[in-house]
Amino acid sequence: PDRKHESHGLCKSCYEGNRIKKPRQKRARKEYNAKYYSNPLNRLKILKRRVRWYALRKESVVNMYTNGEAVCCQCGQGDIDILTVDHINNDGGDHRRELKKTNNHLYMWLRQHDYPEGFQILCANCNFKKEAIRKRAFIENQIILLGGA
């Protein structure tokens, strides 16, 4: 049952009509885009827009996980530029591979999934320290298992 048209608020024939583009229209749009994106002023506008959207996405995620305080949950650091999303269960690498994307996509994923449990906000220093402690414990555990000193 193809019901995509309902999510767009259109009847099926209108949805299909909007979706199907004539080759001539596609070619014209492609030429326009090539010309638009080759202009340095337009590229600068696009870059500024991307930076602003990235900052807004990050800010919304940080505020949701810190109840509007925007601080590191361990040390209280409040600089938004160094705050990061941390996977509490240390499965961040697996999650990033699953998403196959960057942090910006993580912010969108968190928002789309209604800010699920299992994440916290840490500053870069606390996040690095947490990882260093985890690696040290892993190495010490391996030494014990191998019967070393």
Side-chain angles (χ1 to χ4, degrees):
D2 184 21
R3 304 184 76 90
K4 290 181 182 177
H5 61 281
E6 291 176 355
S7 66
H8 292 277
L10 299 170
C11 71
K12 192 167 187 170
S13 61
C14 289
Y15 177 76
E16 292 297 327
N18 287 343
R19 239 183 68 213
I20 298 170
K21 301 290 183 193
K22 295 178 180 149
R24 193 172 52 209
Q25 291 173 323
K26 285 185 178 180
R27 189 170 41 252
R29 186 68 181 166
K30 193 173 186 179
E31 290 169 4
Y32 172 80
N33 284 344
K35 189 175 181 182
Y36 182 84
Y37 289 109
S38 66
N39 182 339
L41 293 176
N42 292 336
R43 291 172 75 183
L44 185 61
K45 280 195 299 190
I46 293 164
L47 181 62
K48 285 180 182 178
R49 191 178 315 132
R50 284 182 184 162
V51 167
R52 186 175 66 242
W53 275 106
Y54 177 79
L56 289 172
R57 282 186 202 118
K58 180 176 182 176
E59 187 177 325
S60 70
V61 168
V62 167
N63 283 329
M64 283 302 293
Y65 280 105
T66 60
N67 297 321
E69 295 179 22
V71 294
C72 173
C73 69
Q74 287 188 355
C75 71
Q77 175 61 257
D79 185 359
I80 191 83
D81 293 330
I82 63 169
L83 293 178
T84 61
V85 175
D86 174 57
H87 293 72
I88 293 174
N89 298 324
N90 296 322
D91 57 354
D94 297 335
H95 190 229
R96 276 189 304 278
R97 279 188 288 281
E98 179 184 315
L99 293 177
K100 299 178 185 166
K101 305 287 182 177
T102 62
N103 274 342
N104 194 25
H105 290 89
L106 175 62
Y107 298 143
M108 289 188 299
W109 184 89
L110 290 169
R111 185 175 175 191
Q112 289 168 353
H113 290 83
D114 202 26
Y115 305 100
E117 297 283 323
F119 298 91
Q120 63 184 350
I121 301 300
L122 295 178
C123 68
N125 195 35
C126 290
N127 201 355
F128 185 81
K129 184 175 180 180
K130 178 183 172 189
E131 180 64 10
I133 291 169
R134 186 189 69 79
K135 284 183 179 178
R136 187 179 314 123
F138 176 78
I139 291 170
E140 289 172 357
N141 191 28
Q142 291 299 315
I143 291 172
I144 292 170
L145 288 175
L146 296 173

